[in-house]
């Protein structure tokens, strides 16, 4: 779909939403839940069309294992989200808190932790060894958490106007998930403008969201910068949410160019309404030194390569800086494995606009960087300065990875690495920590304290923070506290299917080794190499089978999932 909505069509869509807001206010919790169930069914029905559209514009061959990324981060993610939101609405409909029956626990620093993974037998089977919880802000007790869970659905008649969403152009589930969050967390009807990259999804999303479109609470628009600018500044729009870069955010809030910079300096925003955002940044992976086997070194190098190169490197939470101990005896072996993993990762087109230019910019800033992979279009920059260098300040949104070495060992390294991540890197969306189980055990409370001190909206221990994106009840967004004049990785959260208030961060963890090595070394985890790994040979088949399972809920589909996953 290449059509651009003109101003008259946008005016008409917003007029429809003004009427739709009245309909939404009169829509019962039961009907709101039924709408989610209908969208769930329709997502399963049109999942293959969704994936076909995405792989076409991303230039992926039909039989490429990388198509698994489109199944997993596209329709599968929306299926999980609609099911989780439906469960929350069921509880509220019955007069219960969405957290009833959930054992809330204590997190470091006097916080309350809400478990979000695993929650049922299917989580335990499909994500064996993975864990996750949402930490609430300090001072929020368990009773308050239960009472506030539900957000705007605690008073569904109190609607909040029209929310304009500027959709992402990379991960295809982001725009529909954002639309659901506006409707259900904030009680705002939605004008969703797709990023032009994702325009081929227009028809698929209209078919999936037909129940909400027919009710008049959702309109999907297409167009470029002018369309988005007209939409967000329209007097009928009460709130704006966007996914993208801090540069785009500032152009919306303050205006483009020197005039915008002047307004920002004078604190005179051009945008006259609230804005929330998810903006990415320079995400680090901290590799804690320990005694690793050759298989551990190879697997974790593939893990880091995946964190950088998944979806071609066009992820807001893609790792851009690896933080190592200069004194780690296995440092050189790990770096050799990392170079190999990056170099041998599957070839794919640079589909996101400007990617090659951003790689060229990084190459100009670091002329000694290693060029790896097919066509030498991937950049690895070793021996980065520890401060005031572009790679630590600029989100390249391209296959560029830097390595910083800190002159510390053991627990001292981890404490300094946390300080480095908190103070030297732009953004607070996600941080990964990789550590051998015996190292974690040895560090004990010091390790827990280090995790608490990380100021990031998502923290992954022996996992990738993308798991927090995929888990429907996890919160997703920057660490709280950013403002429109220092936006970093954004303001507010999304996903959060429990509809929790007072969210601070999500913490996820996974097994250090895949099965069966995990079992041999005493980790109670049956998960093989995760299907989101770029080296997973059966990722496409596994992703499709997982999507079919979440669409149907039929346990008879699970053996096929397991067979495919273990062959990966």
């Amino acid at each position: 779909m290449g059509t651009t909505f003109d101003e008259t069509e946008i005016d008409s869509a917003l007029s429809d939403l003004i009427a739709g807001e009245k309909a939404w206010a009169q829509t019962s919790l039961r009907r709101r839940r039924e709408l989610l169930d209908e969208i769930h069914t329709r997502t399963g029905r049109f999942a293959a069309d969704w994936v076909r559209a995405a792989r076409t514009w991303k230039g992926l061959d039909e039989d490429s294992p990388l198509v698994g990324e489109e199944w997993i981060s596209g329709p599968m993610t929306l299926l999980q989200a609609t099911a989780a939101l439906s469960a929350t609405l069921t509880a509220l409909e019955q007069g219960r808190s969405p957290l009833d029956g959930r054992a809330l626990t204590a997190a470091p620093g006097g916080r309350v932790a809400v478990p979000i993974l695993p929650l049922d037998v299917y989580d335990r089977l499909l994500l064996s060894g993975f864990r996750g919880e949402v930490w609430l802000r300090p001072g929020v007790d368990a009773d308050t958490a239960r009472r506030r869970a539900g957000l705007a659905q605690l008073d569904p008649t109190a609607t909040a106007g029209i929310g304009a969403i500027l959709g992402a152009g990379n991960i295809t589930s982001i725009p529909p998930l954002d639309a659901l969050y506006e409707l259900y967390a904030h009680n705002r009807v939605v004008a969703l403008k797709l990023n032009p990259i994702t325009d081929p999804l227009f028809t698929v999303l209209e078919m999936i969201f037909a129940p909400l479109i027919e009710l008049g609470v959702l309109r999907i628009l297409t167009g470029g910068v002018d369309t988005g600018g007209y939409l967000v500044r329209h007097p009928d729009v009460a709130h704006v949410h966007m996914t993208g870069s801090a540069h785009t955010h500032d152009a919306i809030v303050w205006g483009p160019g020197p005039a915008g910079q002047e307004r920002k300096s004078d604190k005179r925003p051009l945008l006259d309404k609230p804005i929330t955002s998810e903006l990415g940044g320079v995400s680090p992976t901290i590799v804690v030194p320990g005694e690793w086997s050759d298989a551990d070194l190879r697997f974790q190098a593939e893990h880091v390569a995946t964190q950088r190169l998944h979806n071609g490197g066009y992820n807001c939470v893609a790792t851009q800086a690896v933080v190592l101990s200069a004194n780690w005896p296995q440092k050189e072996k790990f770096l050799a494995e990392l170079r190999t993993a990056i170099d041998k990762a599957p070839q794919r087109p640079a589909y996101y606009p400007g990617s090659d230019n951003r790689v060229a910019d990084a190459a100009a800033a670091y002329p000694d960087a290693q060029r790896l992979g097919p066509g030498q279009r991937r950049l690895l920059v070793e021996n980065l300065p520890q401060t005031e260098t572009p790679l630590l300040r600029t989100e390249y949104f391209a296959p560029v990875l830097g390595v910083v070495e800190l002159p510390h060992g053991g627990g001292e390294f981890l404490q300094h690495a946390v300080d480095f991540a908190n103070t030297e890197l732009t953004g607070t969306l996600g941080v990964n920590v990789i550590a051998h189980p015996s190292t974690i055990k040895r560090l004990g409370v010091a390790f827990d304290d280090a995790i608490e001190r990380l100021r990031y909206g998502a923290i992954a221990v022996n996992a990738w923070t993308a798991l927090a994106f995929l888990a429907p009840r996890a919160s997703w967004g920057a660490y709280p506290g950013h403002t429109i004049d220092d936006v970093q990785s954004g303001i507010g959260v999304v996903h959060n299917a429990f509809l929790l208030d007072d969210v601070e961060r999500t913490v996820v963890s996974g097994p250090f080794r895949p099965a069966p090595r995990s079992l041999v070394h005493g980790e109670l985890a049956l998960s093989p190499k995760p299907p989101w790994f770029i080296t997973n040979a059966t990722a496409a088949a596994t992703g499709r089978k997982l999507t079919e399972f979440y669409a149907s809920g039929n346990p008879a589909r699970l053996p096929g999932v397991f067979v495919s996953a273990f062959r990966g």
Side-chain angles (χ1 to χ4, degrees), residues 267-285:
K267 298 188 182 297
R268 294 183 293 108
L270 191 63
L271 191 70
D272 61 352
K273 60 203 67 175
I275 182 170
T276 53
S277 51
E278 190 264 85
L279 304 176
V282 177
S283 292
T285 293

Side-chain angles (χ1 to χ4, degrees), residues 276-361:
T276 53
S277 51
E278 190 264 85
L279 304 176
V282 177
S283 292
T285 293
I286 298 170
V287 180
V288 183
E291 295 184 14
W292 297 10
S293 69
D294 289 345
D296 296 337
L297 291 164
R298 189 178 319 95
F299 176 77
Q300 293 299 346
E302 290 183 13
H303 195 179
V304 173
T306 292
Q307 294 168 5
R308 174 66 269 181
L309 299 178
H310 178 279
N311 193 36
Y314 314 121
N315 287 331
C316 50
V317 75
T319 291
Q320 189 168 298
V322 180
V323 186
L324 295 175
S325 166
N327 302 329
W328 184 24
Q330 294 180 297
K331 177 193 69 178
E332 292 302 332
K333 280 189 175 182
F334 176 77
L335 287 174
E337 292 287 0
L338 181 60
R339 293 182 205 110
T340 299
I342 294 172
D343 192 52
K344 293 186 175 180
Q347 183 175 5
R348 62 187 305 159
Y351 76 87
Y352 204 89
S355 175
D356 289 341
N357 291 337
R358 291 188 294 276
V359 173
D361 289 344

Side-chain angles (χ1 to χ4, degrees), residues 100-114:
D100 281 358
R102 307 294 178 189
L104 308 191
T105 60
R111 296 169 174 86
V112 166
V114 179

Side-chain angles (χ1 to χ4, degrees), residues 241 249 275-279 478 481-484 487 489-493:
H241 178 79
H249 170 274
I275 182 170
T276 53
S277 51
E278 190 264 85
L279 304 176
H482 300 315
T483 59
I484 58 170
V487 75
S489 288
I491 299 168
V493 300

Side-chain angles (χ1 to χ4, degrees), residues 284-289 322-325 386 404-408 410-425 431-433 450 453-454 456:
T285 293
I286 298 170
V287 180
V288 183
V322 180
V323 186
L324 295 175
S325 166
Q386 295 176 28
V404 177
E405 298 182 18
L406 302 182
H408 309 282
E412 185 183 7
F413 162 80
L414 180 56
Q415 301 307 316
H416 283 277
V418 169
D419 292 337
F420 172 82
N422 283 343
T423 60
E424 295 297 335
L425 305 179
V431 57
N432 312 286
V433 180
R453 287 202 304 117
L454 284 164
Y456 285 80

Side-chain angles (χ1 to χ4, degrees), residues 2 29 46 51 64 92 95 212 229 246-247 274 304 328 423 425 435 449 485 527 537 547:
L29 285 172
F46 297 112
V51 170
S64 169
L92 294 170
L212 295 177
H247 175 77
V304 173
W328 184 24
T423 60
L425 305 179
D449 290 344
D485 54 345
S527 293
T547 302

Side-chain angles (χ1 to χ4, degrees), residues 75 98 108 160 163 209 211 252 268 295 299 314 336 342 359 369 379 387 428 451 511 524-525:
F209 284 95
I252 291 169
R268 294 183 293 108
F299 176 77
Y314 314 121
I342 294 172
V359 173
L379 219 62
T387 187
T428 64
I451 298 302
L524 299 179

